């Protein structure tokens, strides 16, 4: 990922997140859910899958199984039938079934609000836990997916060789007033503007502070 040597300054990083905030004051994730349990399930299913694809599969699933008890009653086979359009659906169906049983047995059917407890559930890793803590419980966590990892490195905001390194760097560098929404802004920016193959730098709201070079030119006018 080509980048200038100097990372953005503290003032520039503040300007970057102020720009994100002005552009989209209340960013939202793009996964559909109806409660904390379905949020957790949706995030587990979203690993190596698109939010659009997950939403299509979970619409019917959540209509009949929006609690751990209902999901267990549906059974692993029933879950699998609903999510078979999603990548890795067999293993994901198993994890959803098992995490539903674990919630009933260990948490009185409630989704826990700590990373440690969440990461003990089948199919839940650090990124999934961070998403649930952020969206479901309003905690200022950073969930590093491929989009955010790319943006952190490409812009110079939070360079790192691993998702954890990028996450920890962001937690130190993002202004505290912006931490709650930071991961949404960066993920959406990577998904729609700072794309992997053809970043759309010509209408990027943070391009003046970004360390990525060369900038991508805009589309040519016809004629």
């Amino acid at each position: 990922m080509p980048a200038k040597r100097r990372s953005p300054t503290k003032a520039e990083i503040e300007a970057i997140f102020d720009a994100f905030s002005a552009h989209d004051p209340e960013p939202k994730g793009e996964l559909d859910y109806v409660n904390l349990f379905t949020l957790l399930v949706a995030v587990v299913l979203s690993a190596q899958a698109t939010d659009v694809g997950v939403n299509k599969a979970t619409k019917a699933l959540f209509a009949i199984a929006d609690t751990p008890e209902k999901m267990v009653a549906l059974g692993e086979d029933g879950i699998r039938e609903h999510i078979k359009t999603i990548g890795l659906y067999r293993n994901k169906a198993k994890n959803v079934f098992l995490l539903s049983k674990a919630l009933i047995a260990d948490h009185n059917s409630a989704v826990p609000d700590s990373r440690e407890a969440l990461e003990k559930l089948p199919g839940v890793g650090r990124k999934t836990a961070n998403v649930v803590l952020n969206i479901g419980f309003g905690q200022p966590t950073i969930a590093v997916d491929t989009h955010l990892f790319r943006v952190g490195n490409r812009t110079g905001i939070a360079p790192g060789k691993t998702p954890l390194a990028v996450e920890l760097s962001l937690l130190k560098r993002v202004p505290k007033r912006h931490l709650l929404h930071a991961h949404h802004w960066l993920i959406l920016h990577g998904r729609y503007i700072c794309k992997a193959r053809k970043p759309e730098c010509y209408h990027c709201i943070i391009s003046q502070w970004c360390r990525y070079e060369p900038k991508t030119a805009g589309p040519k006018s016809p004629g």
Side-chain angles (χ1 to χ4, degrees):
M1 299 177 182
K4 288 182 179 179
R5 291 180 181 177
R6 185 174 67 84
S7 295
T9 64
K10 180 180 179 181
E12 288 173 329
I13 290 176
E14 288 198 6
I16 286 170
F17 286 96
D18 284 345
F20 280 138
S21 180
H23 179 72
D24 186 6
E26 296 289 335
K28 304 295 181 185
E30 296 183 320
L31 286 172
D32 294 336
Y33 62 96
V34 296
N35 55 29
L36 283 173
F37 171 67
T38 55
L39 169 64
L40 173 60
V41 172
V43 180
V44 168
L45 295 178
S46 71
Q48 299 182 52
T50 66
D51 289 357
V52 172
V54 172
N55 290 340
K56 287 180 180 179
T58 57
K59 184 176 182 179
L61 175 64
F62 292 161
I64 62 172
D66 60 356
T67 67
E69 289 81 3
K70 292 177 183 177
M71 197 67 77
V72 170
L74 185 59
E76 188 176 333
D77 290 344
I79 298 169
R80 188 164 56 238
E81 279 302 304
H82 279 86
I83 67 168
K84 60 185 179 183
T85 56
I86 302 175
L88 307 176
Y89 73 95
R90 294 182 186 278
N91 192 52
K92 290 178 179 179
K94 180 179 180 181
N95 283 334
V96 169
F97 179 71
L98 292 176
L99 75 82
S100 298
K101 292 184 70 174
L103 289 175
I104 296 169
D106 302 330
H107 301 284
N108 197 28
S109 299
V111 176
D113 61 356
S114 76
R115 181 185 287 111
E116 182 182 9
L118 283 167
E119 288 187 10
K120 289 180 180 178
L121 297 171
V124 178
R126 186 179 181 89
K127 184 184 76 172
T128 295
N130 280 342
V131 173
V132 173
L133 293 172
N134 183 275
I135 297 176
F137 296 99
Q139 295 186 22
T141 55
I142 303 286
V144 180
D145 70 350
T146 55
H147 297 299
L148 197 152
F149 184 77
R150 178 173 66 254
V151 173
N153 277 282
R154 182 180 275 174
T155 62
I157 295 172
K161 294 182 179 180
T162 66
L164 181 59
V166 171
E167 176 188 338
L168 297 179
S169 180
L170 284 169
L171 288 172
K172 290 180 181 178
R173 307 192 76 187
V174 176
K176 283 185 169 45
R177 67 183 182 277
H178 290 315
L179 263 178
L180 180 62
H181 295 316
H183 98 270
H184 274 131
W185 285 323
L186 294 170
I187 287 172
L188 293 171
H189 190 67
R191 184 174 292 167
Y192 296 111
I193 303 297
C194 197
K195 301 175 182 178
R197 293 187 178 182
K198 294 183 178 180
E200 299 179 7
C201 304
Y202 51 90
H203 64 114
C204 170
I205 63 172
I206 65 167
S207 61
Q208 63 183 300
W209 305 289
C210 173
R211 295 300 180 247
Y212 179 71
E213 288 190 352
K215 300 290 192 227
T216 309
K220 295 181 179 179
S221 301

